[in-house]
Amino acid sequence: SSNPKKDVIHIGGTGPDARPAIIRVQEITATWSVDLIPPPAGRESDAPAAFRVTHVLAAHLERCFALNPLVGFRFNGIINSRCIGFGVTRFKRYGGHDFLRGVWVQGRPRLFAGGNASLYLVDGNVTTNMALRSTLHRPMGVLADADFADLYIHGLETAHIAFPIMLDGAGGDFDGGHGDVHIRSLVLDQIIGDGVTIRNLNALAKVQIDGGYIQIVDSRERNKGLWFENGQGQITVSNLQITGENSSTTSIGIYAQNQPNIAIGDSVIVENIAFPVTV
């Protein structure tokens, strides 16, 4: 695209009454031929996306890639859809309030139990380079906000992304809006922020994290492998390794604050971390 204010590819319809079905997109790389202009802080939703997927039943994206986006893939209002073997790569610096959201699972406006119903993110990759990772504002691999029921993140790999996975239920308005969330087989490498952040869950939330590797390489701000805060419901963690690259004096493996009902076990290993568990 040559327009820095517009999405490159839009998949789906325009609203709940205009929702096409069974759309398949394969092997496309979306990018811009001009530099993007990041919107001011607090207006990230104004940013264009490489792929915007809205109001569609059974969309299937396979081996699609976003090059140098502000937002790689943005989902809202979809039903039973899959994004498989996707990639988001960011090497350019745009200046201003420069940020990155590899995949944005938007929970507002809410439709169904969440903003999306049955979204599968499978075998994805979100990366920057070492020079860029500390200059972006809170770069995120996958962000799910407000309501995000029926969300499956399997096989995500990130490199040099400060916040690989963030689930934030603030602003959600449905009792079951945080249920049935499964995060599996992670490789979160070279993190200078927090590996998996989960906050503001509602009382019916069910989140399962099963399998993977989280590496913290910088802990100037008490960086955490897992951060659970200000929520309800239930979180289960198993078969996970959290490691630090250097013997930091401030890094935290698992951090929980105002979050009841956390079950952690089955070979969760925390090593080379200053504080394995902080509650």
Side-chain angles (χ1 to χ4, degrees):
S1 173
S2 60
N3 190 329
K5 296 183 178 180
K6 289 189 175 182
D7 307 323
V8 179
I9 296 176
H10 182 199
I11 301 163
T14 57
D17 297 326
R19 182 177 289 123
I22 312 176
I23 296 177
R24 182 180 294 272
V25 180
Q26 291 183 295
E27 298 183 358
I28 290 179
T29 297
T31 190
W32 292 261
S33 60
V34 294
D35 286 350
L36 299 179
I37 303 171
R43 292 176 53 189
E44 288 84 359
S45 62
D46 292 344
F51 295 86
R52 184 187 295 263
V53 188
T54 60
H55 302 294
V56 62
L57 168 62
H60 188 127
L61 285 69
E62 189 165 355
R63 297 188 301 280
C64 291
F65 298 89
L67 178 61
N68 290 319
L70 295 168
V71 179
F73 296 79
R74 182 179 297 184
F75 294 92
N76 181 253
I78 61 87
I79 305 173
N80 190 23
S81 294
R82 287 159 170 77
C83 190
I84 301 173
F86 64 91
V88 179
T89 302
R90 177 73 184 276
F91 293 139
K92 279 188 176 182
R93 176 80 168 94
Y94 293 128
H97 176 63
D98 201 356
F99 67 96
L100 170 64
R101 292 180 179 174
V103 180
W104 191 352
V105 183
Q106 289 190 290
R108 288 186 296 262
R110 177 177 67 80
L111 301 167
F112 329 110
N116 301 278
S118 295
L119 174 60
Y120 295 80
L121 305 174
V122 181
D123 295 338
N125 183 282
V126 182
T127 61
T128 63
N129 56 29
M130 187 174 294
L132 192 62
R133 70 182 186 183
S134 61
T135 62
L136 298 176
H137 177 75
R138 296 178 64 80
M140 301 175 191
V142 176
L143 168 66
D145 59 12
D147 288 301
F148 40 79
D150 303 325
L151 174 62
Y152 306 87
I153 304 171
H154 297 171
L156 177 69
E157 182 168 352
T158 68
H160 303 298
I161 299 296
F163 302 92
I165 296 178
M166 181 173 291
L167 310 180
D168 192 340
D173 60 2
F174 186 71
D175 288 345
H178 303 148
D180 200 20
V181 179
H182 298 267
I183 303 172
R184 296 176 178 167
S185 303
L186 301 174
V187 177
L188 309 182
D189 224 353
Q190 299 287 307
I191 298 169
I192 61 169
D194 305 308
V196 179
T197 304
I198 301 176
R199 54 166 65 105
N200 300 312
L201 296 179
N202 59 32
L204 296 182
K206 298 291 184 294
V207 179
Q208 180 189 67
I209 302 172
D210 183 10
Y213 165 82
I214 298 174
Q215 182 196 39
I216 304 293
V217 299
D218 185 304
S219 56
R220 289 170 293 182
E221 298 182 8
R222 301 176 74 224
N223 298 132
K224 309 160 188 69
L226 300 175
W227 184 358
F228 308 134
E229 186 173 30
N230 293 335
Q232 303 175 69
Q234 180 174 326
I235 299 173
T236 303
V237 183
S238 60
N239 304 310
L240 191 68
Q241 180 183 11
I242 302 172
T243 183
E245 184 178 73
N246 302 305
S247 55
S248 166
T249 60
T250 60
S251 56
I252 299 172
I254 301 166
Y255 179 91
Q257 179 176 355
N258 298 328
Q259 174 66 60
N261 297 328
I262 302 172
I264 298 174
D266 295 336
S267 301
V268 174
I269 300 171
V270 181
E271 60 185 0
N272 206 18
I273 295 287
F275 301 94
V277 178
T278 298
V279 178

